[in-house]
Amino acid sequence: MSKSTISTRQQLEQVALRGLSFADDHISDHFSIKDVSERLGISYSYFYHNFTAYMGEPFWHYVKRHRLETAAGLLRHSGYNIHEIGELCGYATTAAFSKAFKQQFKENPKNFRRISELPNEKRTINIIETITTTMGQDLFSAYFQYDRGERVTLPDSILYYSFLSRGQNPIGEMIAKMNQYYTAFSRILSMYNMSQAKIITGTLDSVPVTDYEKISIFAGISIPQVLTRAHQLMDINYKHLLRKRIPGGSYLRLPVPIDFATAGIPMYNFINRNCKEGIFKMSGNHFFISLHNTNNCEIYIPLLRRH
């Protein structure tokens, strides 16, 4: 393969992923494809065709799907009402949200909220369990207990991230690449003495609503917004990293002395069980795993304050 072919493929990938990142970071905002292409400094046509070629779906189809899948996750785990969820996901009216949601999921939001097991849930969990090392019920009981957690307040932060995987086998790619990214991000923290920053991993998508093959898993550095100098350094030296706002507020911090991959399924089961039982409700789908090293991590779950 020639260098020019590799360069062209990398350029196409960067255009698509920056468009994807913008859509995720502006999920409740109104914008057009032209707004995004101008933000990226490229033509409408170039962005539209490259995004479709790389992602396998047109940009606006992705935006709509991502917003509705996020809404489905909020219906499942948050304490917001249907009107609030529609607004959070970019819909001006509850009627418009309900219509779009039913077209996507064949159920209206009210009925969807009552579903005990989602169509993709069993399949996604089974796939991940075949790839990762499962803990077993004894370890699940030992580590994933609400009483082991601590409610903490996190500041508004900016995440500087790369995708570990995009499509087909996201968990397998995450496991294969995480050590490399963890080492690189650790070096940045050490170089610039960012003691308040966290190396985190998570997904932009709503698991298990999103098809397994379309899940986008990231790794990055989450830096409190108030650390102005740290952001200046990141903007100057790491322009290739994508950006995402992470809301501050109330979180449940749960330390788990296991590796990030093994923590995935019991983390989801922990969230799902506690939300169903009403022990807590989430303020969004932006839960994440903070890595102390590749075999020791903390789970952060955003909590709805009014619950």
Side-chain angles (χ1 to χ4, degrees):
M1 185 181 296
S2 67
K3 288 185 178 180
S4 60
T5 302
I6 295 173
S7 176
T8 301
R9 177 179 294 179
Q10 290 174 338
Q11 290 172 358
L12 185 152
E13 178 183 42
Q14 279 300 305
V15 166
L17 293 182
R18 290 191 180 279
L20 185 154
S21 178
F22 181 94
D24 176 74
D25 201 32
H26 295 80
I27 199 162
S28 62
D29 301 332
H30 297 283
F31 58 84
S32 66
I33 299 179
K34 185 179 179 181
D35 293 332
V36 182
S37 63
E38 288 179 350
R39 177 73 172 267
L40 299 180
I42 56 179
S43 72
Y44 174 102
S45 177
Y46 184 81
F47 172 68
Y48 179 88
H49 291 294
N50 277 10
F51 187 93
T52 304
Y54 181 78
M55 295 291 293
E57 62 182 327
F59 178 70
W60 209 249
H61 184 277
Y62 168 79
V63 171
K64 181 179 179 182
R65 175 173 66 80
H66 184 56
R67 286 178 170 177
L68 291 172
E69 288 174 348
T70 299
L74 292 173
L75 286 167
R76 190 156 175 80
H77 294 136
S78 82
Y80 298 121
N81 62 43
I82 291 171
H83 174 73
E84 289 172 322
I85 291 172
E87 284 190 332
L88 287 169
C89 297
Y91 287 87
T93 67
T94 303
F97 169 56
S98 296
K99 180 180 179 180
F101 192 90
K102 188 168 184 178
Q103 288 176 340
Q104 182 78 13
F105 293 105
K106 315 305 179 188
E107 293 280 359
N108 63 41
K110 184 177 180 180
N111 290 339
F112 185 90
R113 198 160 220 171
R114 296 171 179 159
I115 298 174
S116 59
E117 185 175 74
L118 300 179
N120 279 351
E121 189 165 12
K122 184 177 292 186
R123 176 177 180 268
T124 297
I125 289 175
N126 286 343
I127 291 172
I128 296 174
E129 284 182 338
T130 63
I131 299 171
T132 61
T133 303
T134 55
M135 292 174 58
Q137 189 61 38
D138 290 342
L139 285 177
F140 176 86
S141 298
Y143 298 147
F144 288 85
Q145 293 295 322
Y146 178 77
D147 291 344
R148 290 191 66 253
E150 175 189 10
R151 288 195 177 223
V152 298
T153 300
L154 296 185
D156 291 341
S157 300
I158 301 294
L159 172 68
Y160 298 84
Y161 71 97
S162 292
F163 286 110
L164 294 173
S165 57
R166 256 244 89 249
Q168 297 308 311
N169 184 20
I171 300 298
E173 289 187 35
M174 175 187 72
I175 293 170
K177 296 178 180 177
M178 182 60 86
N179 283 343
Q180 170 191 345
Y181 279 89
Y182 179 80
T183 299
F185 291 135
S186 295
R187 190 178 298 119
I188 293 173
L189 295 188
S190 176
M191 185 186 307
Y192 298 119
N193 193 28
M194 296 183 190
S195 59
Q196 297 180 54
K198 292 180 174 64
I199 299 175
I200 72 172
T201 184
T203 175
L204 299 189
D205 307 290
S206 181
V207 178
V209 181
T210 304
D211 288 342
Y212 174 77
E213 290 81 5
K214 293 183 178 180
I215 293 173
S216 303
I217 297 177
F218 66 78
I221 300 174
S222 176
I223 305 174
Q225 280 189 340
V226 297
L227 301 181
T228 306
R229 178 56 178 163
H231 294 293
Q232 292 173 343
L233 290 169
M234 295 301 293
D235 289 338
I236 292 170
N237 297 302
Y238 301 98
K239 294 181 183 295
H240 64 285
L241 294 178
L242 302 168
R243 310 287 195 272
K244 176 180 174 63
R245 292 166 292 181
I246 298 183
S250 180
Y251 281 74
L252 179 68
R253 181 181 68 87
L254 183 68
V256 286
I258 53 178
D259 67 272
F260 64 93
T262 304
I265 289 298
M267 174 182 66
Y268 171 73
N269 288 334
F270 172 79
I271 290 171
N272 201 35
R273 181 187 66 187
N274 281 279
C275 287
K276 282 183 177 179
E277 293 177 1
I279 295 173
F280 61 72
K281 293 291 184 181
M282 292 170 59
S283 63
N285 293 323
H286 50 282
F287 55 89
F288 60 85
I289 298 176
S290 175
L291 307 179
H292 292 291
N293 54 57
T294 53
N295 293 303
N296 191 8
C297 57
E298 292 178 332
I299 292 166
Y300 284 85
I301 301 168
L303 300 178
L304 196 64
R305 284 187 181 275
R306 67 176 181 237
H307 189 262

